Amino acid sequence: MWLIGCNSPVNALSQPVRLALAEGVREGEADPSVQAIVVSCEGRTFFAGADLAELDHGLRQPGLLEFVTACEDASKPVIAALHGTVFGGGVVVAYACDHRITAHGTRFAMPEIGLGLLPTFGGTQYLPRLLGIEAALELVIDGAEWDTDRAMEAGLVDCVVPFDELLDAADAASRQGLPKRRTRDAQAHHRDPEEQGEAFAARRRVLDAMAPDFEAPRTCLEVIERGLQEPLADSLLYEHTAFLKLLASAQSRRLRGLFFAERALRRGGFDRPSVEARLLAVGPNPAALLQASRKLLQEAAVPNAKTLDALLVAVFDLPRHQPSLIDELLEDPA
């Protein structure tokens, strides 16, 4: 049985997609003619993350944890056929499956920290169990983007094949009578116990030096470390509570707003070199920049305040999680 994502352009894991995935696994489990379930996606990528617009209104049920649980409860193996960009929720779908086959050129990342959030739906708990502490922190805290070689080395995927052989390889795997292999039962986090404390301490030292006021990575470290000392059910509840707190935080709202503003900035539609030159001539003084920004907007030299805000971050290499230099203009409905 195949479950095929088709939510173009990036196969975002919106609520209807999450619902269909969980229901699909349960239907496959109930069908005696089904021997295995394969999860794949049409288009240029596997599931490449959440529908970020949904976050502003609150995630509707089911979340992805229902899919994870459905895969765990199934007696039949679930196989992921991965390609493109397996980011965020796409990684959750992958580790929910018992076996993971990927095409050459696939990339993997957990970008939630960059949005002021932590990986939810078990991301802080399943990844250390599957990959070990150091590799999980590399992916989750360091913001690493892995190629297929690194994903294979770390244990995130089991097999790498040419892109044009991916579906055939997944189909063949579904006929091999593969065993169940639930990530919740993985024990990679117990490797090298003497190094675990140092791994967490090393990340804290980096955060102290680079971004002592950035809430998300510190919260994520705490949730991972505490969660691995508790029953999984308790850890998942604690993770969800921490996620909701970060979701409501000013830093996460700021970072999510910047994400969309930076998309608009890349679209252009204005004389960016000229605007950048005017900003650089003013320099990073907040009061002067606010005055210059107001003038740029009055002249329609930039499309809107949000796009200008993203440009200021880029031009002056500002910490993205900190308040904007032009908050006053961003709050102005005009």
Side-chain angles (χ1 to χ4, degrees):
M1 176 179 177
W2 288 72
L3 301 178
I4 303 174
C6 51
N7 187 22
S8 62
V10 295
N11 284 313
L13 285 155
S14 59
Q15 189 269 348
V17 175
R18 299 193 300 269
L19 177 63
L21 282 170
E23 289 184 342
V25 172
R26 288 191 285 264
E27 289 174 8
E29 172 66 8
D31 187 339
S33 68
V34 172
Q35 300 302 309
I37 301 164
V38 178
V39 181
S40 68
C41 283
E42 294 181 349
R44 58 186 174 87
T45 184
F46 193 69
F47 300 111
D51 181 353
L52 294 184
E54 188 181 353
L55 292 176
D56 290 333
H57 307 288
L59 287 172
R60 292 182 294 157
Q61 294 300 313
L64 269 181
L65 197 56
E66 284 81 354
F67 171 73
V68 175
T69 301
C71 291
E72 292 176 338
D73 290 346
S75 63
K76 301 168 184 179
V78 185
I79 301 162
L82 312 169
H83 76 287
T85 50
V86 183
F87 287 0
V91 175
V92 176
V93 174
Y95 70 60
C97 297
D98 301 282
H99 304 272
R100 294 165 289 279
I101 302 170
T102 188
H104 283 297
T106 305
R107 296 177 294 132
F108 304 83
M110 296 296 283
E112 287 86 348
I113 291 291
L115 296 171
L117 300 170
L118 57 74
T120 189
F121 307 125
T124 65
Q125 303 306 312
Y126 283 86
L127 287 172
R129 287 168 167 80
L130 179 65
L131 309 175
I133 300 295
E134 182 59 41
L137 293 181
E138 178 185 321
L139 194 62
V140 172
I141 301 296
D142 300 348
E145 185 174 305
W146 287 355
D147 59 16
T148 49
D149 289 340
R150 180 65 182 120
M152 185 77 178
E153 176 188 37
L156 183 57
V157 301
D158 305 300
C159 178
V160 182
V161 299
F163 174 76
D164 58 3
E165 298 177 14
L166 176 63
L167 299 184
D168 287 341
D171 183 61
S174 72
R175 302 173 189 277
Q176 291 175 7
L178 294 172
K180 289 294 293 182
R181 195 179 58 174
R182 298 171 175 89
T183 297
R184 71 182 182 199
D185 298 327
Q187 298 292 316
H189 60 301
H190 290 317
R191 296 192 304 246
D192 303 321
E194 294 181 0
E195 297 180 8
Q196 289 189 18
E198 176 54 31
F200 287 107
R203 293 315 189 285
R204 288 192 175 92
R205 288 194 295 269
V206 171
L207 293 174
D208 286 343
M210 298 182 62
D213 61 337
F214 193 4
E215 299 169 9
R218 291 182 177 281
T219 301
C220 192
L221 278 172
E222 177 193 348
V223 170
I224 294 173
E225 193 168 20
R226 169 175 163 171
L228 294 177
Q229 301 167 13
E230 299 180 347
L232 181 59
D234 294 340
S235 302
L236 293 175
L237 181 59
Y238 184 61
E239 175 195 79
H240 183 63
T241 301
F243 172 80
L244 292 178
K245 182 178 179 181
L246 287 173
L247 182 63
S249 71
Q251 287 188 358
S252 182
R253 290 197 302 272
R254 162 73 173 149
L255 287 165
R256 297 192 321 263
L258 266 181
F259 175 84
F260 290 108
E262 287 164 347
R263 279 185 173 179
L265 182 60
R266 288 192 292 272
R267 288 195 292 268
F270 67 101
D271 187 353
R272 178 168 174 170
S274 174
V275 173
E276 287 188 0
R278 290 175 64 177
L279 294 172
L280 288 168
V282 173
N285 178 276
L289 271 178
L290 182 62
Q291 182 178 359
S293 297
R294 183 174 284 108
K295 187 172 183 181
L296 286 166
L297 290 169
Q298 290 171 345
E299 296 173 1
V302 288
N304 52 56
K306 292 181 179 179
T307 303
L308 178 57
D309 182 33
L311 185 60
L312 286 169
V313 171
V315 168
F316 295 105
D317 193 25
L318 302 172
R320 300 176 75 256
H321 65 282
Q322 293 182 353
S324 169
L325 293 176
I326 57 169
D327 268 340
E328 178 182 327
L329 298 180
L330 292 172
E331 294 170 1
D332 186 351

